């Protein structure tokens, strides 16, 4: 038996990452400076966040709208029984920070609906976006925003002992939406929305059959690909870099492992990007009123402006009662409206089936709009989320288009990662 040789040196300071650094191409600086957005803090999100925390990732943004329930606990390393009823994103952020081996780790979180509650400006500030989501519609939205700023998107999905990982980077490769089929999207829309537009009050959602095992495997693969991508972004050559436009499928019941290429669809609706040089950062916030925002823009550009919220949101001003036809004042963004709100007070409770609601909406907001009362609404109230990138057109030349970021919201949305707190 040979004796172990110990080398003592005053210069050498052991760190938590010494074994990782033995990988020839590994750079702990790359890992700790990378900015990662994790969408979803359920079973997969927990495993992914645990991996990021232990490996010393330095900038992590966690988004989830749900509360912790007892049935989560068998799959969520970050939550315990005392957390039931608390917000997943908030508790996950605390645990990631406590678990991190990186003393400089910065964590921010968002408890809410990532689709309508977070602006585009969030997405352009991250290097890799990790999807740990449980539904296709949110995946599609996150993917579209990754396409918008040409950010890599790694989507993880689990079902029983099976898992799927897809790795995309539009326009270098196909995007997530290129690999989806329209039937499954239509099926999910039907569950969540009546007549494809308004939310159902009670979603008859079927809970997916999942266990921790598949979440742990897919999260390991997801973080592995994120590590490769970050190194490539920092011009560190890997023997085998992450491949974009690929889907990996593993079935734990019989150990089938498959690898597919996802071809790019020429008519994919997600294929649209904004050049980062075209985004104008401003001191506007989603808490400014429409009037304040329009004044600011007029002064900045020297012409009257129109804020165009298409296709992100529409603002419904009034509707007709489905039962009696009476006018109903709505004044809400479309995404906040439930299908049962299309009844006047008298008819509420009447049966609701097979109707098409009639309503008026606005997506162009200007100083001389007919709906004058909206000028006192904040941008948030008309459906524009914090840190959004809004489309602004010149009133008399709608081809003259500007992308305006509500940059004043940065300190509210990402206070730790952007060091503004
Ligand atoms: Zn696509
Ligand atoms: Zn009525």
């Amino acid at each position: 038996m040979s004796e172990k040789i110990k080398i003592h040196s005053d210069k050498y300071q052991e760190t938590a990452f010494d074994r990782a650094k033995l990988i020839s191409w590994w750079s702990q600086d790359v890992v700790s400076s990378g900015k990662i957005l994790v969408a979803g803090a359920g079973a997969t999100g927990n495993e992914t966040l645990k991996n990021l925390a232990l490996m010393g990732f330095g900038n992590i943004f966690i988004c989830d709208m749900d509360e912790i329930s007892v049935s989560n606990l068998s799959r969520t390393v970050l939550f315990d029984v005392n957390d039931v009823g608390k917000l997943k994103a908030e508790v996950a952020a605390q645990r990631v920070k406590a678990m991190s081996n990186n003393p400089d780790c910065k964590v921010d979180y968002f408890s809410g609906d990532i689709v309508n509650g977070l602006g585009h400006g969030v997405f352009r500030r991250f290097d890799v976006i990790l999807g740990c989501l449980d539904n296709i519609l949110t995946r599609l939205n996150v993917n579209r925003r990754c396409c918008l700023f040409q950010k890599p998107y790694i989507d993880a999905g689990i079902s029983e002992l099976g898992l799927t990982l897809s790795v995309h980077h539009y326009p270098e490769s196909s995007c997530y939406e290129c690999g989806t089929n329209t039937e499954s999207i239509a099926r999910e829309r039907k569950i969540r929305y009546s007549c494809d537009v308004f939310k159902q009050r009670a979603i008859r959602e079927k809970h997916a059959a999942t266990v921790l095992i598949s979440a742990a495997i897919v999260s390991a693969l997801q973080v592995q690909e994120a590590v490769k991508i970050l190194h490539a972004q920092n011009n560190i050559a890997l023997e085998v870099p992450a491949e974009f436009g690929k889907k990996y499928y593993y079935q734990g019941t019989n150990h089938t492992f498959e690898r597919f290429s996802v071809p790019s669809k020429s008519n994919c609706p997600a294929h649209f990007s904004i050049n980062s040089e075209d985004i104008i950062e401003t001191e506007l916030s989603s808490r400014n009123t429409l009037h304040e925002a329009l004044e600011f823009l007029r002064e900045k550009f020297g012409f009257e402006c129109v804020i165009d919220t298409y296709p992100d949101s529409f603002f419904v001003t009034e509707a007709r009662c489905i039962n009696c036809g009476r006018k109903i004042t709505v004044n809400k963004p479309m995404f906040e409206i439930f299908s049962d709100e299309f009844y006047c007070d008298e008819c509420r409770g009447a049966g609701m089936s097979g109707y098409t609601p009639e309503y008026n909406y606005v997506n162009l907001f200007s100083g001389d709009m007919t709906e004058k009362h909206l000028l006192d609404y904040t941008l948030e109230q008309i459906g524009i989320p914090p840190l959004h990138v809004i489309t602004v057109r010149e009133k008399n030349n709608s081809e003259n288009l500007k992308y305006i970021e509500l940059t004043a919201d940065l300190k509210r949305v990402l206070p730790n990662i952007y060091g503004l707190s």
Side-chain angles (χ1 to χ4, degrees), residues 9-82:
S9 158
D10 291 342
K11 281 181 197 160
Y12 181 71
Q13 179 87 47
E14 189 180 8
T15 76
F17 312 114
D18 286 356
R19 300 299 170 88
K21 288 180 195 163
L22 295 176
I23 297 174
S24 61
W25 47 265
W26 191 275
S27 163
Q28 194 61 35
D29 285 344
V30 163
V31 172
S32 85
S33 61
K35 295 189 174 71
I36 310 286
L37 189 161
V38 180
T44 310
N46 261 251
E47 284 295 310
T48 292
L49 288 165
K50 175 263 288 173
N51 294 340
L52 298 176
L54 293 181
M55 291 169 83
F57 279 75
N59 303 280
I60 304 168
F61 186 43
I62 306 168
C63 307
D64 198 293
M65 70 191 301
D66 291 333
E67 289 176 1
I68 297 162
S69 69
V70 174
S71 68
N72 295 141
L73 299 178
S74 63
R75 292 163 294 146
T76 48
V77 64
L78 304 174
F79 308 147
D80 65 44
V81 69
N82 300 312

Side-chain angles (χ1 to χ4, degrees), residues 352-401:
M352 40 190 304
S353 61
Y355 61 83
T356 313
E358 269 180 59
Y359 54 90
N360 295 329
Y361 71 87
V362 189
N363 72 282
L364 296 171
F365 300 86
S366 62
D368 60 355
M369 62 196 296
T370 335
E371 298 82 358
K372 280 276 179 296
H373 66 287
L374 296 183
L375 292 170
D376 294 326
Y377 278 55
T378 63
L379 299 183
E380 219 155 301
Q381 284 170 327
I382 63 165
I384 297 172
L387 203 56
H388 201 46
V389 176
I390 52 176
T391 306
V392 171
R393 298 173 188 279
E394 182 178 347
K395 188 157 180 16
N396 298 318
N397 175 15
S398 63
E399 297 294 296
N400 184 15
L401 185 148

